Amino acid sequence: MTIYGVALLAFCYLAGLWMGEGLASLMKVKSNVGGVGFGMILLILFQSWPLTKKWLVREVPSGISFWSRMYIPVVVAMSAIQNARMAFSSGYLAVLAGILPTAFCFILIPFLASRFNTSR
Amino acid sequence: MIPQILIKNGLITAFLSVGILILIAELISKKVFRNKIPTVALAIFMALMAAFIAGGPNGAADIPIMSELALLGGTMLRDFTVVATAMNASLDEIRKAGWLGFVSIFLGLILTFFSGAACALLFGYRDAVSLATIGAGACTFIVGPVTGTALGASSEVIAISIAAGVVKSIAVTIGTPLVAKWIGLNNPQTAMIYGGMLGTTSGVAAGLAATDPRLVPYGALTATFYTGMGCLLCPSLFFLVLNLYF
């Protein structure tokens, strides 16, 4: 049943956030630390671990995959509700922060590639 | 009458309006830019423009019939769908990407986060939360807002972080075929390093498709882990490092 997939996803999401809250209070920060990342790890473990993998039969994955495909539309909606006028007033920052780090990464790729090719 | 129906059923209206916007973006991407700019990057850019035109602190959500965009694009549904994307990854694939993928993702995140934060520093931001959010936005347009929400950054800073991520996605798409020869992007191994270093999935997939379509799965493989690792590391470890100095 599709709802099992949605429920499993909801469980991973909530448990991940809960772990993020726990980590935050351990580090004495007033926020959620890596909760989304933990949720993703939980979901990956669920579908890779042989014991739980067999739960994911029939329509169960469809309950998860629908939401994973809704990710781009949600991101578009999220962009539409930002305080864009304030952000565009410092527009060069977004352009610089988007391009400069990308250029650094491009430059580093051949070095990393040669390291790995010689070590193998 | 029709506006009443649209306002009353706000979330459904939000589905419809986002769908129409993405459709227009896809048409423009195909006909005008000949797939040189990915539909996703264009749609996000158009959404940011809509928010700009609406002008308020909540962007287009300040227009009554668009108010439920705030639910569709809010933290809850965004994080829920981000977690759902993990279903496309598996432990076997992580093992396949292996050490090489891990190192390139980690290096890519560190380099991008801190140089992005340095850009914010140049523009006069001095608090660790804003610096971390913009640095995370330089990674991808997901990692930025996830980090910003987790740390409690202002909407303005979160919008800058999304815009930075969109600029990166476009830069990667356009830049990849131009620099492919120079960085030796002609084999699966380098494609995996490339995907891990840059990580912006839509940009990586579009950039590789424009360079050599056979390399797409290798780059996409490592790129899929980048956002997850970024969501894990940016608001935690990387933020704490920044917090030591600011």
Side-chain angles (χ1 to χ4, degrees):
Chain A
M1 294 238 279
T2 304
I3 183 63
Y4 294 152
V6 183
L8 175 64
L9 178 59
F11 172 79
C12 294
Y13 171 79
L14 292 171
L17 287 189
W18 179 70
M19 289 160 82
E21 296 274 327
L23 189 57
S25 67
L26 275 181
M27 300 191 316
K28 301 200 174 14
V29 208
K30 252 189 258 151
S31 65
N32 194 301
V33 178
V36 176
F38 287 125
M40 294 174 92
I41 291 171
L42 278 177
L43 187 60
I44 292 174
L45 289 179
F46 254 109
Q47 60 186 5
S48 307
W49 197 29
L51 201 68
T52 48
K53 203 161 121 184
K54 55 176 185 257
W55 296 355
L56 295 179
V57 288
R58 290 193 307 252
E59 305 102 279
V60 175
S62 73
I64 306 171
S65 68
F66 171 78
W67 288 105
S68 84
R69 286 192 301 263
M70 281 303 283
Y71 147 81
I72 293 297
V74 163
V75 167
V76 171
M78 176 189 76
S79 311
I81 57 170
Q82 299 303 319
N83 195 346
R85 195 153 285 192
M86 294 278 271
F88 275 87
S89 63
S90 53
Y92 289 113
L93 171 54
V95 174
L96 188 71
I99 290 180
L100 194 69
T102 306
F104 286 152
C105 289
F106 271 132
I107 293 168
L108 207 66
I109 289 169
F111 292 101
L112 204 60
S114 63
R115 267 296 147 80
F116 271 98
N117 286 333
T118 48
S119 67
R120 281 185 183 196
Chain B
M1 266 335 261
I2 290 174
Q4 280 300 318
I5 292 170
L6 296 181
I7 292 169
K8 255 187 182 165
N9 302 284
L11 181 60
I12 311 297
T13 308
F15 286 140
L16 178 66
S17 42
V18 170
I20 291 172
L21 188 137
I22 292 177
L23 178 69
I24 296 170
E26 187 170 353
L27 287 174
I28 296 176
S29 168
K30 281 210 174 103
K31 306 277 181 209
V32 181
F33 296 109
R34 295 178 191 282
N35 296 324
K36 289 275 189 287
I37 294 178
T39 302
V40 177
L42 198 62
I44 290 172
F45 178 76
M46 285 165 61
L48 282 170
M49 286 312 291
F52 179 78
I53 293 163
N58 302 311
D62 287 333
I63 303 167
I65 56 168
M66 294 291 156
S67 62
E68 291 299 312
L69 276 176
L71 175 60
L72 182 60
T75 314
M76 182 174 67
L77 279 175
R78 184 199 61 211
D79 290 350
F80 191 61
T81 52
V82 171
V83 171
T85 59
M87 86 163 294
N88 304 320
S90 76
L91 276 183
D92 287 338
E93 285 184 340
I94 298 177
R95 278 196 211 102
K96 236 190 285 167
W99 186 234
L100 164 88
F102 180 77
V103 170
S104 46
I105 292 171
F106 203 69
L107 265 179
L109 279 171
I110 291 178
L111 188 64
T112 309
F113 180 86
F114 289 103
S115 55
C119 292
L121 198 64
L122 271 178
F123 276 75
Y125 288 92
R126 289 291 179 272
D127 61 299
V129 170
S130 300
L131 292 176
T133 304
I134 293 168
C139 296
T140 74
F141 49 75
I142 304 300
V143 180
V146 166
T147 303
T149 323
L151 300 174
S154 69
S155 174
E156 171 210 346
V157 168
I158 291 178
I160 295 173
S161 78
I162 297 173
V166 171
V167 169
K168 177 182 181 175
S169 166
I170 296 172
V172 169
T173 309
I174 299 172
T176 302
L178 299 178
V179 299
K181 212 170 179 180
W182 183 74
I183 61 172
L185 188 58
N186 54 15
N187 59 79
Q189 201 175 37
T190 309
M192 270 160 69
I193 295 172
Y194 158 87
M197 289 285 294
L198 291 163
T200 171
T201 321
S202 52
V204 162
L208 280 178
T211 309
D212 181 353
R214 282 169 301 173
L215 296 176
V216 171
Y218 300 100
L221 175 69
T222 41
T224 46
F225 296 112
Y226 184 95
T227 292
M229 287 270 284
C231 291
L232 192 64
L233 290 174
C234 289
S236 53
L237 184 66
F238 293 175
F239 168 70
L240 291 177
V241 171
L242 278 182
N243 213 13
L244 290 177
Y245 297 97
F246 294 98

